[in-house]
């Protein structure tokens, strides 16, 4: 821990999310900071809560939680939380999101995110997301996620823009 970091000190019931899950290669979620999850009784306000302790490196030059960090947390709440509420255990790629920034969060604030399941179709999941500090809403978002068929990878390598031939070899004519 560096001199400008403060302890996360999550409230009781929260556990650290392991975004690495034993994978040898890093992924984006491993770089944004510690996130914590709490799963409460089904149907309660705390059925699924994703949270962070705001650190200095998460803030903009004005000292508030950076909007990009707020959007990252909201995106994860929409897909992880929405999927949990819908009973889906697979990766749900985000199709669309809108954001309304309501109030700032500051270093040391405990930010909690909750999803509200709006609608589920065969292939889409619609959620509203709220980030709060205590009882104050700091962000409202609306999300649409893709419910993939099969194993839940969400998209093929070609759809993700991953070339089928190595970059060092030109494609055959």
């Amino acid at each position: 821990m560096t001199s400008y970091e403060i302890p996360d000190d999550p409230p009781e019931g929260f556990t650290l999310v392991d975004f690495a899950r034993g994978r040898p290669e890093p992924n984006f979620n491993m770089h944004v900071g510690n996130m914590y999850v709490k799963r409460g009784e089904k149907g309660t306000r705390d059925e699924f809560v994703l949270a962070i302790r705001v650190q200095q490196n998460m803030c903009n030059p004005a000292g508030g939680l950076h909007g990009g960090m707020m959007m990252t947390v909201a995106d994860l709440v929409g897909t992880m939380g929405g999927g949990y509420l819908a009973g889906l255990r697979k990766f749900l790629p985000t199709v669309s999101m809108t954001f309304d920034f309501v109030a700032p969060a500051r270093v040391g604030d405990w930010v909690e995110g909750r999803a509200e399941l709006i609608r589920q179709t065969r292939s889409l999941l619609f959620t509203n997301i709220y980030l709060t500090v205590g009882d104050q809403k700091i962000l409202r978002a609306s999300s649409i996620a893709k419910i993939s068929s099969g194993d839940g990878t969400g998209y093929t390598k070609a759809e993700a823009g991953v070339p089928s031939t190595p970059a060092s070899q030109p494609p055959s004519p």
Side-chain angles (χ1 to χ4, degrees):
M1 183 178 310
T2 62
S3 61
Y4 60 86
E5 289 180 293
I6 58 172
D8 286 341
D9 194 26
E12 188 173 332
F14 282 90
T15 57
L16 183 65
V17 177
D18 177 16
F19 285 115
R21 293 191 188 132
R23 294 182 194 108
E25 69 281 350
N27 62 63
F28 177 80
N29 296 343
M30 295 164 59
H31 296 286
V32 295
N34 291 338
M35 293 190 186
Y36 296 86
V37 67
K38 176 173 73 170
R39 292 176 179 92
E41 187 177 330
K42 187 163 181 61
T44 67
R45 179 175 188 268
D46 292 336
E47 185 173 352
F48 181 94
V49 184
L50 187 70
I52 62 168
R53 175 75 62 197
V54 178
Q55 300 291 333
Q56 184 64 48
N57 66 316
M58 298 174 179
C59 293
N60 60 33
L65 181 60
H66 193 283
M69 184 66 185
M70 293 170 81
M71 291 188 291
T72 296
V73 174
D75 182 36
L76 291 168
V77 171
T79 55
M80 291 171 63
Y84 181 82
L85 297 175
L88 301 170
R89 295 192 43 88
K90 56 174 71 179
F91 177 73
L92 302 172
T94 303
V95 174
S96 175
M97 284 194 84
T98 61
F99 303 92
D100 296 315
F101 299 92
V102 180
R106 303 279 181 211
V107 170
D109 284 347
W110 181 252
V111 175
E112 294 185 350
R114 290 174 177 79
E116 174 188 16
L117 185 59
I118 302 300
R119 182 169 184 234
Q120 178 182 352
T121 68
R122 185 181 58 77
S123 61
L124 296 173
L125 186 69
F126 298 80
T127 57
N128 281 334
I129 298 110
Y130 300 94
L131 299 186
T132 59
V133 174
D135 290 334
Q136 167 138 29
K137 289 181 179 161
I138 63 168
L139 179 133
R140 188 205 67 79
S142 175
S143 173
I144 303 170
K146 172 85 170 116
I147 302 172
S148 60
S149 57
D151 68 359
T153 56
Y155 45 83
T156 66
K157 286 185 177 182
E159 291 170 327
V162 176
S164 57
T165 58
S168 60
Q169 296 176 353
S172 55

